[in-house]
């Protein structure tokens, strides 16, 4: 048999038939979680207590800061600042031509990593592109997402300025001397 508990004193635990795996509910809240187990043989002998611990983190990181989209010719430069979370691990940028992606698997993955900028290239000028930037932490929690959109365009090269017409020379006054 086996007894499993979130408490080292096994308060509330019962002996049950031994299995090689068991679903278990940890105590509420984030932080260090330890699960304790002990085993009883058919003859009644009880093992030493064994345990294992994890750090439970269910709190997502903040969204990226100062997100901006800078359109250009067939491209959009996305820039941002990482959130201040100590366990920040990176960003996952999802894109679409029709909507703002609502979760880290919605739309098309355009970038994932630790950088603070991404250049989307090969885009169609005049079409709107929608992006959601999700920050994630080391535990795999994702932020709610920061949204932005932009339309790439061909920048017109200004024509060189037309030079002004030449100024006529000042009139010459002639005085005749006899």
């Amino acid at each position: 048999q086996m007894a499993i508990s979130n408490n080292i004193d096994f308060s509330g635990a019962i002996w049950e038939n031994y299995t090689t795996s068991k679903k278990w509910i940890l105590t509420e809240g984030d932080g260090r979680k330890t699960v304790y187990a002990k085993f009883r043989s058919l003859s009644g002998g009880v093992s030493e207590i064994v345990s294992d611990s994890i750090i439970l983190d269910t709190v997502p990181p903040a969204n990226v800061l100062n997100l901006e989209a800078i359109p250009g010719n067939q491209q959009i430069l996305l820039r941002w600042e990482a959130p201040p979370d100590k366990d920040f691990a990176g960003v996952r940028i999802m894109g679409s031509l029709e909507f703002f992606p609502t979760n880290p698997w919605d739309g098309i993955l355009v970038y994932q990593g630790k950088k603070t900028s991404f250049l989307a290239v090969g885009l169609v000028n005049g079409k709107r592109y929608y992006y959601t930037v999700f920050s994630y932490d080391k535990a795999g929690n994702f932020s709610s997402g920061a949204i932005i959109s932009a339309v790439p365009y061909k920048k017109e090269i200004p024509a060189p300025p037309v030079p002004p017409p030449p100024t006529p020379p000042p009139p010459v006054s002639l005085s005749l001397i006899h």
Side-chain angles (χ1 to χ4, degrees):
Q1 293 182 309
M2 63 183 188
I4 300 176
S5 178
N6 290 319
N7 304 307
I8 195 164
D9 65 0
F10 286 84
S11 56
I14 58 168
W15 289 104
E16 55 187 278
N17 290 334
Y18 173 81
T19 61
T20 57
S21 65
K22 178 175 178 68
K23 289 185 180 182
W24 189 253
I25 298 173
L26 299 172
T27 56
E28 287 190 28
D30 284 357
R32 184 176 194 80
K33 304 295 177 179
T34 303
V35 177
Y36 304 91
K38 60 184 176 179
F39 304 92
R40 184 164 65 184
S41 68
L42 291 175
S43 63
V46 177
S47 72
E48 291 184 22
I49 296 172
V50 294
S51 66
D52 201 359
S53 298
I54 64 167
I55 303 296
L56 180 62
D57 176 3
T58 60
V59 177
N63 283 319
V64 297
L65 306 168
N66 300 315
L67 176 62
E68 58 183 336
I70 303 163
N73 186 20
Q74 298 181 327
Q75 66 184 25
I76 297 173
L77 174 63
L78 299 174
R79 291 194 306 208
W80 61 90
E81 293 173 24
D85 302 67
K86 290 179 183 174
D87 64 344
F88 170 75
V91 297
R92 181 176 175 96
I93 302 175
M94 301 303 290
S96 173
L97 285 169
E98 299 169 8
F99 56 88
F100 289 109
T102 58
N103 67 60
W105 298 271
D106 193 17
I108 297 168
L109 174 64
V110 296
Y111 174 76
Q112 184 164 333
K114 293 183 178 183
K115 293 181 181 177
T116 55
S117 67
F118 171 75
L119 181 62
V121 296
L123 307 180
V124 177
N125 287 340
K127 261 193 175 304
R128 181 163 296 278
Y129 289 81
Y130 300 89
Y131 298 99
T132 306
V133 180
F134 298 94
S135 54
Y136 59 91
D137 63 19
K138 293 174 184 172
N141 299 307
F142 284 90
S143 70
S144 60
I147 60 173
I148 200 160
S149 71
V151 178
Y153 64 94
K154 185 173 184 176
K155 295 180 180 176
E156 297 295 325
I157 299 171
V162 177
T167 50
V172 178
S173 64
L174 297 173
S175 53
L176 297 171
I177 302 180
H178 296 261

mmCIF file of all heavy atoms in Angstrom, residues 66-112:
data_model
loop_
_atom_site.group_PDB
_atom_site.id
_atom_site.type_symbol
_atom_site.label_atom_id
_atom_site.label_comp_id
_atom_site.label_asym_id
_atom_site.label_seq_id
_atom_site.Cartn_x
_atom_site.Cartn_y
_atom_site.Cartn_z
ATOM 1 N N ASN A 66 6.412 49.390 -24.374
ATOM 2 C CA ASN A 66 6.743 50.305 -25.475
ATOM 3 C C ASN A 66 6.811 49.613 -26.839
ATOM 4 O O ASN A 66 7.729 49.852 -27.624
ATOM 5 C CB ASN A 66 8.050 51.050 -25.181
ATOM 6 C CG ASN A 66 7.944 51.859 -23.908
ATOM 7 O OD1 ASN A 66 6.951 52.545 -23.677
ATOM 8 N ND2 ASN A 66 8.948 51.766 -23.057
ATOM 9 N N LEU A 67 5.825 48.793 -27.117
ATOM 10 C CA LEU A 67 5.751 48.094 -28.399
ATOM 11 C C LEU A 67 5.474 49.091 -29.512
ATOM 12 O O LEU A 67 4.603 49.951 -29.392
ATOM 13 C CB LEU A 67 4.644 47.038 -28.362
ATOM 14 C CG LEU A 67 4.368 46.269 -29.645
ATOM 15 C CD1 LEU A 67 5.599 45.463 -30.076
ATOM 16 C CD2 LEU A 67 3.170 45.340 -29.442
ATOM 17 N N GLU A 68 6.247 48.996 -30.596
ATOM 18 C CA GLU A 68 6.010 49.850 -31.751
ATOM 19 C C GLU A 68 6.224 49.064 -33.032
ATOM 20 O O GLU A 68 6.966 48.095 -33.071
ATOM 21 C CB GLU A 68 6.883 51.106 -31.720
ATOM 22 C CG GLU A 68 8.365 50.870 -31.664
ATOM 23 C CD GLU A 68 9.158 52.172 -31.568
ATOM 24 O OE1 GLU A 68 8.669 53.239 -31.977
ATOM 25 O OE2 GLU A 68 10.291 52.109 -31.086
ATOM 26 N N ALA A 69 5.509 49.488 -34.081
ATOM 27 C CA ALA A 69 5.626 48.899 -35.412
ATOM 28 C C ALA A 69 6.007 50.019 -36.373
ATOM 29 O O ALA A 69 5.306 51.026 -36.472
ATOM 30 C CB ALA A 69 4.300 48.265 -35.833
ATOM 31 N N ILE A 70 7.114 49.829 -37.078
ATOM 32 C CA ILE A 70 7.610 50.845 -38.005
ATOM 33 C C ILE A 70 7.551 50.252 -39.410
ATOM 34 O O ILE A 70 8.352 49.385 -39.759
ATOM 35 C CB ILE A 70 9.048 51.255 -37.627
ATOM 36 C CG1 ILE A 70 9.059 51.758 -36.174
ATOM 37 C CG2 ILE A 70 9.585 52.296 -38.591
ATOM 38 C CD1 ILE A 70 10.424 51.800 -35.546
ATOM 39 N N PRO A 71 6.571 50.708 -40.212
ATOM 40 C CA PRO A 71 6.440 50.140 -41.558
ATOM 41 C C PRO A 71 7.468 50.711 -42.519
ATOM 42 O O PRO A 71 7.960 51.819 -42.338
ATOM 43 C CB PRO A 71 5.023 50.543 -41.969
ATOM 44 C CG PRO A 71 4.747 51.795 -41.200
ATOM 45 C CD PRO A 71 5.524 51.673 -39.914
ATOM 46 N N GLY A 72 7.778 49.929 -43.530
ATOM 47 C CA GLY A 72 8.679 50.340 -44.598
ATOM 48 C C GLY A 72 8.255 49.661 -45.883
ATOM 49 O O GLY A 72 7.144 49.133 -45.980
ATOM 50 N N ASN A 73 9.122 49.638 -46.863
ATOM 51 C CA ASN A 73 8.830 49.011 -48.147
ATOM 52 C C ASN A 73 8.873 47.493 -47.997
ATOM 53 O O ASN A 73 9.941 46.915 -47.803
ATOM 54 C CB ASN A 73 9.827 49.481 -49.207
ATOM 55 C CG ASN A 73 9.480 48.970 -50.588
ATOM 56 O OD1 ASN A 73 8.347 48.583 -50.855
ATOM 57 N ND2 ASN A 73 10.465 48.965 -51.459
ATOM 58 N N GLN A 74 7.723 46.849 -48.055
ATOM 59 C CA GLN A 74 7.554 45.395 -47.935
ATOM 60 C C GLN A 74 8.103 44.854 -46.610
ATOM 61 O O GLN A 74 8.517 43.701 -46.534
ATOM 62 C CB GLN A 74 8.207 44.663 -49.117
ATOM 63 C CG GLN A 74 7.574 45.029 -50.448
ATOM 64 C CD GLN A 74 8.209 44.279 -51.607
ATOM 65 O OE1 GLN A 74 9.400 43.986 -51.610
ATOM 66 N NE2 GLN A 74 7.391 43.973 -52.607
ATOM 67 N N GLN A 75 8.084 45.669 -45.571
ATOM 68 C CA GLN A 75 8.580 45.210 -44.276
ATOM 69 C C GLN A 75 7.967 46.019 -43.144
ATOM 70 O O GLN A 75 7.482 47.128 -43.337
ATOM 71 C CB GLN A 75 10.098 45.296 -44.213
ATOM 72 C CG GLN A 75 10.639 46.712 -44.272
ATOM 73 C CD GLN A 75 12.157 46.742 -44.308
ATOM 74 O OE1 GLN A 75 12.798 45.789 -44.742
ATOM 75 N NE2 GLN A 75 12.724 47.833 -43.836
ATOM 76 N N ILE A 76 8.000 45.415 -41.961
ATOM 77 C CA ILE A 76 7.577 46.086 -40.729
ATOM 78 C C ILE A 76 8.589 45.717 -39.652
ATOM 79 O O ILE A 76 8.867 44.535 -39.414
ATOM 80 C CB ILE A 76 6.163 45.658 -40.278
ATOM 81 C CG1 ILE A 76 5.119 46.051 -41.324
ATOM 82 C CG2 ILE A 76 5.824 46.273 -38.913
ATOM 83 C CD1 ILE A 76 3.727 45.512 -41.040
ATOM 84 N N LEU A 77 9.136 46.728 -39.003
ATOM 85 C CA LEU A 77 10.049 46.512 -37.882
ATOM 86 C C LEU A 77 9.232 46.595 -36.596
ATOM 87 O O LEU A 77 8.580 47.601 -36.339
ATOM 88 C CB LEU A 77 11.159 47.566 -37.866
ATOM 89 C CG LEU A 77 12.095 47.530 -36.653
ATOM 90 C CD1 LEU A 77 12.873 46.217 -36.600
ATOM 91 C CD2 LEU A 77 13.030 48.725 -36.665
ATOM 92 N N LEU A 78 9.258 45.519 -35.806
ATOM 93 C CA LEU A 78 8.615 45.510 -34.498
ATOM 94 C C LEU A 78 9.711 45.679 -33.454
ATOM 95 O O LEU A 78 10.737 45.004 -33.511
ATOM 96 C CB LEU A 78 7.877 44.187 -34.269
ATOM 97 C CG LEU A 78 6.753 43.863 -35.251
ATOM 98 C CD1 LEU A 78 6.216 42.461 -34.995
ATOM 99 C CD2 LEU A 78 5.639 44.886 -35.152
ATOM 100 N N ARG A 79 9.479 46.595 -32.501
ATOM 101 C CA ARG A 79 10.433 46.833 -31.403
ATOM 102 C C ARG A 79 9.669 46.897 -30.094
ATOM 103 O O ARG A 79 8.533 47.372 -30.057
ATOM 104 C CB ARG A 79 11.189 48.148 -31.604
ATOM 105 C CG ARG A 79 12.148 48.128 -32.752
ATOM 106 C CD ARG A 79 13.111 49.291 -32.721
ATOM 107 N NE ARG A 79 12.431 50.590 -32.632
ATOM 108 C CZ ARG A 79 12.932 51.717 -33.103
ATOM 109 N NH1 ARG A 79 14.110 51.728 -33.690
ATOM 110 N NH2 ARG A 79 12.278 52.850 -32.986
ATOM 111 N N TRP A 80 10.338 46.477 -29.006
ATOM 112 C CA TRP A 80 9.715 46.471 -27.691
ATOM 113 C C TRP A 80 10.802 46.406 -26.623
ATOM 114 O O TRP A 80 11.971 46.214 -26.923
ATOM 115 C CB TRP A 80 8.781 45.258 -27.548
ATOM 116 C CG TRP A 80 9.502 43.954 -27.688
ATOM 117 C CD1 TRP A 80 10.080 43.210 -26.701
ATOM 118 C CD2 TRP A 80 9.751 43.231 -28.903
ATOM 119 N NE1 TRP A 80 10.679 42.088 -27.218
ATOM 120 C CE2 TRP A 80 10.479 42.068 -28.580
ATOM 121 C CE3 TRP A 80 9.435 43.456 -30.252
ATOM 122 C CZ2 TRP A 80 10.892 41.145 -29.528
ATOM 123 C CZ3 TRP A 80 9.844 42.527 -31.198
ATOM 124 C CH2 TRP A 80 10.562 41.387 -30.833
ATOM 125 N N GLU A 81 10.357 46.558 -25.382
ATOM 126 C CA GLU A 81 11.231 46.362 -24.231
ATOM 127 C C GLU A 81 10.711 45.151 -23.462
ATOM 128 O O GLU A 81 9.497 44.963 -23.352
ATOM 129 C CB GLU A 81 11.209 47.590 -23.320
ATOM 130 C CG GLU A 81 11.829 48.821 -23.947
ATOM 131 C CD GLU A 81 11.646 50.059 -23.082
ATOM 132 O OE1 GLU A 81 11.465 49.914 -21.853
ATOM 133 O OE2 GLU A 81 11.674 51.161 -23.647
ATOM 134 N N ALA A 82 11.622 44.358 -22.933
ATOM 135 C CA ALA A 82 11.237 43.180 -22.150
ATOM 136 C C ALA A 82 10.563 43.618 -20.852
ATOM 137 O O ALA A 82 10.907 44.654 -20.292
ATOM 138 C CB ALA A 82 12.469 42.331 -21.847
ATOM 139 N N PRO A 83 9.611 42.821 -20.363
ATOM 140 C CA PRO A 83 8.999 43.155 -19.074
ATOM 141 C C PRO A 83 10.016 42.956 -17.949
ATOM 142 O O PRO A 83 11.009 42.249 -18.119
ATOM 143 C CB PRO A 83 7.840 42.156 -18.968
ATOM 144 C CG PRO A 83 8.223 41.019 -19.833
ATOM 145 C CD PRO A 83 9.058 41.599 -20.942
ATOM 146 N N PRO A 84 9.767 43.562 -16.786
ATOM 147 C CA PRO A 84 10.746 43.502 -15.701
ATOM 148 C C PRO A 84 10.756 42.197 -14.901
ATOM 149 O O PRO A 84 11.550 42.055 -13.986
ATOM 150 C CB PRO A 84 10.320 44.672 -14.804
ATOM 151 C CG PRO A 84 8.849 44.790 -15.032
ATOM 152 C CD PRO A 84 8.650 44.443 -16.486
ATOM 153 N N ASP A 85 9.912 41.233 -15.256
ATOM 154 C CA ASP A 85 9.818 39.985 -14.490
ATOM 155 C C ASP A 85 11.169 39.267 -14.412
ATOM 156 O O ASP A 85 11.843 39.090 -15.427
ATOM 157 C CB ASP A 85 8.782 39.050 -15.124
ATOM 158 C CG ASP A 85 7.414 39.682 -15.199
ATOM 159 O OD1 ASP A 85 7.255 40.663 -15.964
ATOM 160 O OD2 ASP A 85 6.511 39.219 -14.499
ATOM 161 N N LYS A 86 11.520 38.802 -13.220
ATOM 162 C CA LYS A 86 12.808 38.130 -13.018
ATOM 163 C C LYS A 86 12.903 36.817 -13.786
ATOM 164 O O LYS A 86 13.987 36.403 -14.176
ATOM 165 C CB LYS A 86 13.041 37.874 -11.529
ATOM 166 C CG LYS A 86 13.295 39.135 -10.746
ATOM 167 C CD LYS A 86 13.502 38.842 -9.278
ATOM 168 C CE LYS A 86 13.673 40.139 -8.518
ATOM 169 N NZ LYS A 86 13.735 39.947 -7.085
ATOM 170 N N ASP A 87 11.761 36.152 -13.995
ATOM 171 C CA ASP A 87 11.805 34.866 -14.696
ATOM 172 C C ASP A 87 11.390 34.987 -16.173
ATOM 173 O O ASP A 87 11.057 33.998 -16.813
ATOM 174 C CB ASP A 87 10.948 33.827 -13.975
ATOM 175 C CG ASP A 87 9.463 34.174 -13.944
ATOM 176 O OD1 ASP A 87 9.101 35.341 -14.201
ATOM 177 O OD2 ASP A 87 8.653 33.272 -13.661
ATOM 178 N N PHE A 88 11.446 36.212 -16.720
ATOM 179 C CA PHE A 88 11.140 36.425 -18.150
ATOM 180 C C PHE A 88 12.082 35.561 -18.985
ATOM 181 O O PHE A 88 13.287 35.531 -18.756
ATOM 182 C CB PHE A 88 11.318 37.902 -18.503
ATOM 183 C CG PHE A 88 11.269 38.182 -19.981
ATOM 184 C CD1 PHE A 88 10.080 38.180 -20.666
ATOM 185 C CD2 PHE A 88 12.437 38.438 -20.681
ATOM 186 C CE1 PHE A 88 10.035 38.442 -22.023
ATOM 187 C CE2 PHE A 88 12.415 38.697 -22.040
ATOM 188 C CZ PHE A 88 11.208 38.697 -22.712
ATOM 189 N N ALA A 89 11.527 34.845 -19.976
ATOM 190 C CA ALA A 89 12.341 33.953 -20.807
ATOM 191 C C ALA A 89 12.371 34.357 -22.272
ATOM 192 O O ALA A 89 13.307 34.022 -22.981
ATOM 193 C CB ALA A 89 11.837 32.519 -20.679
ATOM 194 N N GLY A 90 11.336 35.069 -22.755
ATOM 195 C CA GLY A 90 11.329 35.463 -24.162
ATOM 196 C C GLY A 90 9.960 35.921 -24.610
ATOM 197 O O GLY A 90 9.054 36.114 -23.790
ATOM 198 N N VAL A 91 9.828 36.106 -25.930
ATOM 199 C CA VAL A 91 8.548 36.504 -26.509
ATOM 200 C C VAL A 91 8.176 35.535 -27.632
ATOM 201 O O VAL A 91 9.035 34.909 -28.244
ATOM 202 C CB VAL A 91 8.564 37.948 -27.073
ATOM 203 C CG1 VAL A 91 8.817 38.957 -25.981
ATOM 204 C CG2 VAL A 91 9.551 38.093 -28.200
ATOM 205 N N ARG A 92 6.893 35.444 -27.873
ATOM 206 C CA ARG A 92 6.349 34.665 -28.984
ATOM 207 C C ARG A 92 5.426 35.622 -29.726
ATOM 208 O O ARG A 92 4.453 36.110 -29.151
ATOM 209 C CB ARG A 92 5.594 33.447 -28.460
ATOM 210 C CG ARG A 92 5.022 32.558 -29.558
ATOM 211 C CD ARG A 92 4.376 31.316 -28.923
ATOM 212 N NE ARG A 92 3.722 30.502 -29.897
ATOM 213 C CZ ARG A 92 4.254 29.439 -30.480
ATOM 214 N NH1 ARG A 92 5.481 29.068 -30.164
ATOM 215 N NH2 ARG A 92 3.570 28.745 -31.351
ATOM 216 N N ILE A 93 5.763 35.907 -30.995
ATOM 217 C CA ILE A 93 4.963 36.842 -31.782
ATOM 218 C C ILE A 93 4.128 36.060 -32.786
ATOM 219 O O ILE A 93 4.665 35.311 -33.606
ATOM 220 C CB ILE A 93 5.848 37.866 -32.526
ATOM 221 C CG1 ILE A 93 6.715 38.635 -31.526
ATOM 222 C CG2 ILE A 93 4.983 38.812 -33.353
ATOM 223 C CD1 ILE A 93 7.698 39.589 -32.177
ATOM 224 N N MET A 94 2.823 36.267 -32.691
ATOM 225 C CA MET A 94 1.896 35.638 -33.621
ATOM 226 C C MET A 94 1.352 36.727 -34.546
ATOM 227 O O MET A 94 1.084 37.849 -34.103
ATOM 228 C CB MET A 94 0.753 34.960 -32.860
ATOM 229 C CG MET A 94 1.228 33.893 -31.873
ATOM 230 S SD MET A 94 2.221 32.574 -32.594
ATOM 231 C CE MET A 94 0.989 31.697 -33.551
ATOM 232 N N GLY A 95 1.195 36.397 -35.822
ATOM 233 C CA GLY A 95 0.727 37.375 -36.801
ATOM 234 C C GLY A 95 -0.472 36.882 -37.570
ATOM 235 O O GLY A 95 -0.777 35.684 -37.601
ATOM 236 N N SER A 96 -1.158 37.832 -38.233
ATOM 237 C CA SER A 96 -2.321 37.506 -39.054
ATOM 238 C C SER A 96 -2.581 38.656 -40.020
ATOM 239 O O SER A 96 -2.211 39.797 -39.753
ATOM 240 C CB SER A 96 -3.554 37.284 -38.169
ATOM 241 O OG SER A 96 -4.725 37.131 -38.954
ATOM 242 N N LEU A 97 -3.250 38.354 -41.117
ATOM 243 C CA LEU A 97 -3.697 39.379 -42.061
ATOM 244 C C LEU A 97 -5.150 39.764 -41.804
ATOM 245 O O LEU A 97 -5.687 40.647 -42.466
ATOM 246 C CB LEU A 97 -3.569 38.874 -43.501
ATOM 247 C CG LEU A 97 -2.153 38.830 -44.061
ATOM 248 C CD1 LEU A 97 -2.107 38.062 -45.373
ATOM 249 C CD2 LEU A 97 -1.631 40.235 -44.257
ATOM 250 N N GLU A 98 -5.806 39.088 -40.841
ATOM 251 C CA GLU A 98 -7.243 39.296 -40.640
ATOM 252 C C GLU A 98 -7.637 39.732 -39.231
ATOM 253 O O GLU A 98 -8.688 40.330 -39.047
ATOM 254 C CB GLU A 98 -7.990 37.993 -40.969
ATOM 255 C CG GLU A 98 -7.782 37.556 -42.403
ATOM 256 C CD GLU A 98 -8.298 36.145 -42.660
ATOM 257 O OE1 GLU A 98 -8.941 35.572 -41.761
ATOM 258 O OE2 GLU A 98 -8.039 35.623 -43.754
ATOM 259 N N PHE A 99 -6.819 39.414 -38.214
ATOM 260 C CA PHE A 99 -7.234 39.656 -36.829
ATOM 261 C C PHE A 99 -6.014 39.706 -35.920
ATOM 262 O O PHE A 99 -4.940 39.253 -36.297
ATOM 263 C CB PHE A 99 -8.173 38.540 -36.344
ATOM 264 C CG PHE A 99 -7.578 37.164 -36.475
ATOM 265 C CD1 PHE A 99 -6.808 36.616 -35.456
ATOM 266 C CD2 PHE A 99 -7.776 36.412 -37.627
ATOM 267 C CE1 PHE A 99 -6.240 35.358 -35.573
ATOM 268 C CE2 PHE A 99 -7.213 35.143 -37.758
ATOM 269 C CZ PHE A 99 -6.447 34.614 -36.726
ATOM 270 N N PHE A 100 -6.223 40.230 -34.713
ATOM 271 C CA PHE A 100 -5.177 40.173 -33.695
ATOM 272 C C PHE A 100 -5.227 38.783 -33.060
ATOM 273 O O PHE A 100 -6.259 38.394 -32.514
ATOM 274 C CB PHE A 100 -5.404 41.225 -32.605
ATOM 275 C CG PHE A 100 -5.149 42.630 -33.054
ATOM 276 C CD1 PHE A 100 -6.197 43.524 -33.226
ATOM 277 C CD2 PHE A 100 -3.854 43.065 -33.310
ATOM 278 C CE1 PHE A 100 -5.956 44.831 -33.637
ATOM 279 C CE2 PHE A 100 -3.608 44.362 -33.719
ATOM 280 C CZ PHE A 100 -4.661 45.247 -33.888
ATOM 281 N N PRO A 101 -4.146 38.002 -33.134
ATOM 282 C CA PRO A 101 -4.155 36.689 -32.481
ATOM 283 C C PRO A 101 -4.464 36.833 -30.988
ATOM 284 O O PRO A 101 -3.996 37.753 -30.328
ATOM 285 C CB PRO A 101 -2.727 36.177 -32.716
ATOM 286 C CG PRO A 101 -2.336 36.838 -34.019
ATOM 287 C CD PRO A 101 -2.923 38.219 -33.913
ATOM 288 N N THR A 102 -5.286 35.911 -30.469
ATOM 289 C CA THR A 102 -5.763 36.027 -29.091
ATOM 290 C C THR A 102 -5.000 35.166 -28.095
ATOM 291 O O THR A 102 -5.170 35.316 -26.893
ATOM 292 C CB THR A 102 -7.261 35.662 -29.003
ATOM 293 O OG1 THR A 102 -7.428 34.325 -29.494
ATOM 294 C CG2 THR A 102 -8.096 36.631 -29.823
ATOM 295 N N ASN A 103 -4.183 34.235 -28.592
ATOM 296 C CA ASN A 103 -3.382 33.407 -27.696
ATOM 297 C C ASN A 103 -2.088 33.012 -28.408
ATOM 298 O O ASN A 103 -1.969 33.229 -29.619
ATOM 299 C CB ASN A 103 -4.180 32.188 -27.195
ATOM 300 C CG ASN A 103 -4.499 31.210 -28.309
ATOM 301 O OD1 ASN A 103 -3.601 30.668 -28.965
ATOM 302 N ND2 ASN A 103 -5.778 30.960 -28.537
ATOM 303 N N PRO A 104 -1.135 32.436 -27.702
ATOM 304 C CA PRO A 104 0.178 32.142 -28.305
ATOM 305 C C PRO A 104 0.189 31.081 -29.400
ATOM 306 O O PRO A 104 1.233 30.768 -29.949
ATOM 307 C CB PRO A 104 1.022 31.679 -27.110
ATOM 308 C CG PRO A 104 0.317 32.191 -25.905
ATOM 309 C CD PRO A 104 -1.127 32.230 -26.260
ATOM 310 N N TRP A 105 -0.974 30.513 -29.733
ATOM 311 C CA TRP A 105 -1.049 29.513 -30.803
ATOM 312 C C TRP A 105 -2.025 29.923 -31.889
ATOM 313 O O TRP A 105 -2.262 29.186 -32.838
ATOM 314 C CB TRP A 105 -1.447 28.150 -30.218
ATOM 315 C CG TRP A 105 -0.416 27.688 -29.243
ATOM 316 C CD1 TRP A 105 0.701 26.946 -29.522
ATOM 317 C CD2 TRP A 105 -0.358 27.973 -27.855
ATOM 318 N NE1 TRP A 105 1.439 26.772 -28.388
ATOM 319 C CE2 TRP A 105 0.820 27.386 -27.336
ATOM 320 C CE3 TRP A 105 -1.172 28.679 -26.975
ATOM 321 C CZ2 TRP A 105 1.188 27.473 -26.006
ATOM 322 C CZ3 TRP A 105 -0.801 28.764 -25.647
ATOM 323 C CH2 TRP A 105 0.364 28.159 -25.172
ATOM 324 N N ASP A 106 -2.566 31.116 -31.788
ATOM 325 C CA ASP A 106 -3.553 31.658 -32.727
ATOM 326 C C ASP A 106 -2.811 32.435 -33.810
ATOM 327 O O ASP A 106 -1.966 33.267 -33.499
ATOM 328 C CB ASP A 106 -4.499 32.585 -31.941
ATOM 329 C CG ASP A 106 -5.749 32.967 -32.700
ATOM 330 O OD1 ASP A 106 -6.080 32.295 -33.688
ATOM 331 O OD2 ASP A 106 -6.401 33.940 -32.277
ATOM 332 N N GLY A 107 -3.117 32.201 -35.076
ATOM 333 C CA GLY A 107 -2.434 32.912 -36.150
ATOM 334 C C GLY A 107 -1.191 32.173 -36.607
ATOM 335 O O GLY A 107 -1.082 30.952 -36.481
ATOM 336 N N ILE A 108 -0.213 32.929 -37.091
ATOM 337 C CA ILE A 108 1.023 32.364 -37.638
ATOM 338 C C ILE A 108 2.198 32.817 -36.772
ATOM 339 O O ILE A 108 2.353 34.011 -36.517
ATOM 340 C CB ILE A 108 1.228 32.835 -39.093
ATOM 341 C CG1 ILE A 108 0.091 32.321 -39.968
ATOM 342 C CG2 ILE A 108 2.571 32.367 -39.640
ATOM 343 C CD1 ILE A 108 0.034 32.956 -41.342
ATOM 344 N N LEU A 109 3.016 31.864 -36.353
ATOM 345 C CA LEU A 109 4.196 32.196 -35.570
ATOM 346 C C LEU A 109 5.192 32.929 -36.468
ATOM 347 O O LEU A 109 5.598 32.412 -37.499
ATOM 348 C CB LEU A 109 4.851 30.932 -35.006
ATOM 349 C CG LEU A 109 6.174 31.125 -34.273
ATOM 350 C CD1 LEU A 109 5.992 31.976 -33.020
ATOM 351 C CD2 LEU A 109 6.788 29.778 -33.916
ATOM 352 N N VAL A 110 5.557 34.165 -36.085
ATOM 353 C CA VAL A 110 6.514 34.934 -36.881
ATOM 354 C C VAL A 110 7.863 35.076 -36.181
ATOM 355 O O VAL A 110 8.878 35.285 -36.843
ATOM 356 C CB VAL A 110 5.967 36.319 -37.283
ATOM 357 C CG1 VAL A 110 4.759 36.171 -38.194
ATOM 358 C CG2 VAL A 110 5.620 37.169 -36.084
ATOM 359 N N TYR A 111 7.884 34.961 -34.842
ATOM 360 C CA TYR A 111 9.154 35.041 -34.121
ATOM 361 C C TYR A 111 8.973 34.476 -32.723
ATOM 362 O O TYR A 111 7.939 34.676 -32.089
ATOM 363 C CB TYR A 111 9.650 36.488 -34.016
ATOM 364 C CG TYR A 111 10.878 36.619 -33.147
ATOM 365 C CD1 TYR A 111 12.128 36.232 -33.626
ATOM 366 C CD2 TYR A 111 10.790 37.063 -31.836
ATOM 367 C CE1 TYR A 111 13.262 36.295 -32.810
ATOM 368 C CE2 TYR A 111 11.912 37.137 -31.023
ATOM 369 C CZ TYR A 111 13.146 36.753 -31.518
ATOM 370 O OH TYR A 111 14.254 36.806 -30.715
ATOM 371 N N GLN A 112 10.018 33.800 -32.240
ATOM 372 C CA GLN A 112 10.076 33.393 -30.837
ATOM 373 C C GLN A 112 11.524 33.475 -30.397
ATOM 374 O O GLN A 112 12.413 32.965 -31.085
ATOM 375 C CB GLN A 112 9.542 31.974 -30.653
ATOM 376 C CG GLN A 112 9.521 31.578 -29.183
ATOM 377 C CD GLN A 112 8.671 30.358 -28.903
ATOM 378 O OE1 GLN A 112 7.724 30.068 -29.614
ATOM 379 N NE2 GLN A 112 9.003 29.646 -27.850
#
